[in-house]
Amino acid sequence: MTKCIFNLIIIFSLISSCSLIVKSQEHGSDPVVEEENFYDSDLDEADYNSSMKILELQQKIDGYLEELNELQNSYTRPFKITKDQRISKTYMKRLADDVKTNERKLKSLDLRWNIFYQTEQPSIASDDELMNMVEDFNTIKSAVEDSISNRQNIVQAVKDFNAAEKFLADQDTIYKVLGRKAMDLSLSSKTAPQLENLKVKEQINFADIQSHYDKAKQASQLFKVSQQEMDNINNRYATLKNKSVKIQEMAYVPWIQRIKDYLLGIAAVAIIIMFINMVVSKIKAAKKMKENLKKYQDTFNRNENNDIPSI
């Protein structure tokens, strides 16, 4: 049964070929030439379709590049932030919102680009010009990502600096209270445990001070801060650190020891004053001796010049 079917197919093919040759001869044409023309026509159509495909891809990539350049252009202008702008909550909110908006735009563009590129990668890889455009896209995208990241860092730096200024300024009152409490608790041995607890709390608080101060210093490297503003922060930090050290050094001392320490302090001050007075006295004596020596020398010189004859 299978052989019969196979033979019928062969016979049908032969009959079809003969019919094609007869028709070709009736119209005076060569079947081989017609077949070649048919294949040439297919080849021309394939080239045309390929060219149109490349042109379509170029236009799509140009659209993506245009979106990227719009984002990049918003960061090409020099960025400066004044003190008034820095302390303006409205301005800082608008600046942060702009950064978030551009970040969302870039993420959306990158998602659409990835889908497009993965779909059309075989066609893009076959054309050098398209590959160059892809490389341009990746270069510009990297630049836009850096610009957005830098602007985010500046916005965060301004927030950190403003927070540090306010936090350090508020600590003056807090440390006045802590210092007074520590002094009161150090007067009795019964309150020594409470004093130690207060020291622990103060250490935790000063760790926050150190953190804010470090952030303020780092922030000042990312945007322009006046020297006076930085000096104010440095001075506040130094004052608070000195108060912290004094609180940590506080401990209960018996009254007798306190009196001894007080008297020793007075004695030390008296010795220092006596030493200073002795040095001053010696300097004055040396100066007086020098003046007397000069007077004697002047008198001796005048006597020699007068040349008084002897009788």
Side-chain angles (χ1 to χ4, degrees):
M1 186 69 181
T2 306
K3 273 188 176 183
C4 291
I5 295 172
F6 182 72
N7 290 332
L8 287 173
I9 293 172
I10 292 175
I11 293 168
F12 180 76
S13 299
L14 290 172
I15 293 171
S16 299
S17 299
C18 291
S19 299
L20 180 61
I21 293 171
V22 170
K23 287 182 180 179
S24 300
Q25 288 176 349
E26 287 176 356
H27 291 85
S29 61
D30 188 356
V32 178
V33 174
E34 282 192 0
E35 188 176 358
E36 289 178 356
N37 290 336
F38 174 76
Y39 285 123
D40 287 343
S41 175
D42 284 350
L43 185 61
D44 291 342
E45 186 177 355
D47 288 343
Y48 174 77
N49 290 336
S50 177
S51 299
M52 291 303 295
K53 180 67 174 178
I54 290 174
L55 182 61
E56 179 187 353
L57 292 175
Q58 286 177 344
Q59 290 175 346
K60 287 185 177 180
I61 296 177
D62 278 335
Y64 287 114
L65 287 171
E66 186 176 353
E67 288 186 61
L68 265 183
N69 284 322
E70 286 179 2
L71 285 174
Q72 180 65 6
N73 289 338
S74 62
Y75 293 103
T76 54
R77 295 183 298 274
F79 178 73
K80 293 182 179 179
I81 182 168
T82 64
K83 182 179 179 180
D84 292 337
Q85 290 172 334
R86 179 166 59 77
I87 61 179
S88 169
K89 292 182 178 179
T90 303
Y91 177 82
M92 291 307 303
K93 184 180 183 305
R94 186 170 71 250
L95 190 61
D97 289 343
D98 289 343
V99 174
K100 290 180 181 178
T101 299
N102 288 337
E103 189 177 21
R104 284 195 300 268
K105 286 181 179 179
L106 182 60
K107 286 181 179 179
S108 174
L109 174 60
D110 194 37
L111 179 62
R112 287 185 284 115
W113 167 262
N114 287 332
I115 295 172
F116 161 75
Y117 183 72
Q118 289 173 6
T119 304
E120 304 294 348
Q121 187 175 9
S123 300
I124 293 173
S126 65
D127 187 81
D128 291 340
E129 187 173 352
L130 290 177
M131 290 300 296
N132 290 334
M133 295 178 73
V134 170
E135 187 177 348
D136 291 342
F137 178 88
N138 291 329
T139 301
I140 298 173
K141 188 185 79 168
S142 179
V144 173
E145 288 173 339
D146 290 342
S147 298
I148 292 176
S149 178
N150 290 337
R151 192 61 57 85
Q152 283 176 327
N153 291 337
I154 291 174
V155 171
Q156 187 59 48
V158 171
K159 289 180 179 179
D160 290 342
F161 191 88
N162 290 345
E165 272 191 321
K166 185 177 184 308
F167 185 81
L168 293 178
D170 293 342
Q171 295 304 305
D172 290 339
T173 303
I174 293 174
Y175 268 81
K176 282 181 182 177
V177 175
L178 287 175
R180 196 179 303 117
K181 269 189 180 181
M183 177 62 72
D184 292 341
L185 294 173
S186 67
L187 297 177
S188 172
S189 60
K190 296 179 181 180
T191 56
Q194 297 175 24
L195 176 60
E196 293 304 316
N197 290 335
L198 184 140
K199 287 182 179 181
V200 172
K201 291 179 180 179
E202 189 280 326
Q203 280 183 322
I204 295 172
N205 188 73
F206 189 79
D208 287 339
I209 293 175
Q210 186 68 55
S211 176
H212 279 82
Y213 177 68
D214 291 340
K215 287 181 179 179
K217 286 201 301 182
Q218 293 173 0
S220 66
Q221 305 298 320
L222 295 178
F223 67 97
K224 187 175 181 181
V225 179
S226 68
Q227 187 61 44
Q228 183 178 359
E229 288 178 295
M230 205 62 222
D231 287 344
N232 289 339
I233 284 185
N234 289 333
N235 292 336
R236 277 202 178 103
Y237 171 76
T239 301
L240 293 172
K241 187 175 183 179
N242 185 44
K243 290 180 179 179
S244 174
V245 171
K246 287 183 177 179
I247 290 173
Q248 292 300 320
E249 289 178 347
M250 283 190 182
Y252 167 70
V253 179
W255 280 104
I256 295 176
Q257 186 63 41
R258 287 176 183 270
I259 294 172
K260 286 181 180 179
D261 293 341
Y262 178 73
L263 293 176
L264 286 174
I266 293 177
V269 171
I271 291 172
I272 292 172
I273 293 174
M274 184 174 63
F275 176 76
I276 292 173
N277 290 334
M278 182 180 67
V279 172
V280 171
S281 299
K282 287 187 176 182
I283 292 173
K284 286 182 178 179
K287 188 176 180 182
K288 186 68 175 175
M289 183 180 297
K290 187 176 179 181
E291 289 176 355
N292 292 337
L293 183 61
K294 187 177 180 182
K295 287 179 182 179
Y296 175 77
Q297 190 172 4
D298 290 341
T299 304
F300 181 77
N301 290 336
R302 277 200 304 271
N303 291 337
E304 284 188 346
N305 291 334
N306 288 336
D307 196 18
I308 302 172
S310 57
I311 301 173

